[in-house]
Amino acid sequence: MRSQELQQWIDDKGSGQALADSLAVMPLALRQELFREAMRDNEVLETYEALKTATGGDKGFLERVALEKYCLLPQCMGPVQLSLPGWYPPANAPSSNVIDTSAIFGVRAKRVPRPWLQDHPICGRDSCTILYTGEALYQFEWDVWHGMLTLGNGRCNENLRIKLGDLVDLLRLPDSGRSYLLLYRAFKRMSQASIFIQVATKGKAPAFVVGSKGYDLDPRGLNAATLYFIKDYQWLGVGVVCGVIDHRFLKLFGNSEYGTIPWDIRAKLSHNELAKKLQCFFAGQRENRQFIGVQKLLQRTGLTCDLTQFIRQLKKALNAMLEAGAIRAYWLSQPKRGELDKKLLYIWKTDLPSPADPVPAVRGEYFGPPNVIDVW
């Protein structure tokens, strides 16, 4: 966290431009602290490294450019807030397409120990490179992290004080000692969990990066540039948890790469971990009719069972989603014997199949309102 002296200096300037103009007279200790903070921002870091390569690396020049760029970013002036069309906290939660089409928050298999992962590659979209360090995260951690984001109204770079009772109510958990123990473990787990994401873009545009693989250590011996799911975590003994959500996560919700998930529908899926994962997986994609290969879907869940076992679990999860109103219908193809790896899943998220979003005209099983195909 920033020192009080640096925050006071920034507050006194009132704007990013005024802060940039004051760099020449800023005390050296505050300037060095601000530079270390600036280098944790991927946009500033990319500019710094590009200039270093192009100019040969005059340290004073590079530092000045990095600081001036950082001063003009909104996160430099203090907390920033996630604001998305269609997101109405606390009724629903935002779902990042980059996060939720990957296995970052996977599906926990029964009686399988939770592994510790170190710089572990996470399966996601072909355009994404994801490295994760920490204990494996599952759907309960998804609920807790997004619950914190929801109850904090999307405020990032701010020390949030979340009442545990409010979080228990939001997640529809029993008001019991076990619920609070699970919350404690989840918060502690995510305070030690870090992520690096690189997403390739189309054309010649540079890939955007969230998180960092390395750089200088902060005074606590942690990597100052590392992107933790929750920073400055404190579990207070008065029914309150405190922590900071880094503003860099906001980048994962940009360019309409998000959807929303109603908490009341998610609560109806609480007894089916795979159904909760599928709800997230399809939420961030806008199309009503969506499809994916079942084998690829298995990889995105993080499960290690064989395809036959997964299909049995998948049908139970999809039926739970139908019952809860999370989807309107689904269809599973029936490939030839010996070609199970070619099996496809189609779902209809908000509307029933129609001539515009038809059921595939090949061999398969349709699940949803009966006779819907016959009324076209």
Side-chain angles (χ1 to χ4, degrees), residues 169-209:
D169 291 342
L170 180 70
L171 304 185
R172 279 69 168 179
L173 298 174
D175 189 9
S176 65
R178 174 171 171 76
S179 293
Y180 289 91
L181 177 61
L182 292 174
L183 289 174
Y184 170 77
R185 289 174 175 170
F187 274 110
K188 185 175 181 180
R189 191 172 288 127
M190 288 188 289
S191 72
Q192 300 169 344
S194 63
I195 196 79
F196 167 84
I197 300 175
Q198 179 175 296
V199 182
T201 54
K202 295 180 179 179
K204 296 183 179 180
F208 79 78
V209 176

Side-chain angles (χ1 to χ4, degrees), residues 250-322:
L250 303 192
K251 203 169 185 179
L252 299 175
F253 295 88
N255 299 320
S256 298
E257 288 273 5
Y258 74 94
T260 57
I261 292 180
W263 285 109
D264 57 345
I265 292 181
R266 189 156 179 84
K268 296 176 182 179
L269 303 175
S270 60
H271 298 297
N272 193 308
E273 180 96 346
L274 179 55
K276 293 172 73 174
K277 175 61 182 177
L278 296 177
Q279 183 191 32
C280 300
F281 186 90
F282 294 116
Q285 302 170 73
R286 296 302 177 92
E287 296 83 1
N288 174 49
R289 188 184 76 161
Q290 300 176 29
F291 68 93
I292 187 172
V294 172
Q295 188 169 51
K296 180 180 286 189
L297 185 60
L298 170 59
Q299 295 170 348
R300 303 286 184 90
T301 66
L303 290 169
T304 57
C305 59
D306 64 40
L307 201 52
T308 301
Q309 290 176 312
F310 177 67
I311 290 170
R312 286 198 294 266
Q313 295 180 45
L314 179 62
K315 288 182 177 180
K316 292 180 181 178
L318 291 166
N319 288 335
M321 294 177 74
L322 277 178

Side-chain angles (χ1 to χ4, degrees), residues 331-350:
W331 178 89
L332 284 165
S333 69
Q334 293 180 321
K336 297 178 182 178
R337 185 182 297 274
E339 297 183 346
L340 194 60
D341 58 326
K342 296 181 180 180
K343 195 175 187 71
L344 296 175
L345 166 67
Y346 279 68
I347 67 101
W348 287 261
K349 188 167 70 170
T350 55

Side-chain angles (χ1 to χ4, degrees), residues 19-59:
L19 178 61
D21 293 341
S22 74
L23 290 172
V25 296
M26 179 183 283
L28 179 60
L30 298 188
R31 184 183 173 104
Q32 290 174 338
E33 181 184 350
L34 185 63
F35 178 69
R36 288 194 297 271
E37 182 180 313
M39 296 305 285
R40 293 197 292 270
D41 187 278
N42 295 113
E43 188 175 342
V44 175
L45 182 60
E46 289 168 7
T47 299
Y48 181 92
E49 294 293 345
L51 278 175
K52 184 177 179 180
T53 301
T55 64
D58 180 272
K59 187 175 180 181

Side-chain angles (χ1 to χ4, degrees), residues 120-156:
H120 183 73
I122 297 292
C123 183
R125 299 188 318 196
D126 292 341
S127 60
C128 294
T129 298
I130 304 173
L131 300 177
Y132 174 80
T133 295
E135 281 192 276
L137 303 180
Y138 301 118
Q139 292 306 296
F140 185 71
E141 283 76 32
W142 190 102
D143 292 343
V144 173
W145 193 81
H146 287 79
M148 185 177 187
L149 187 65
T150 298
L151 293 175
N153 288 309
R155 300 195 307 277
C156 297

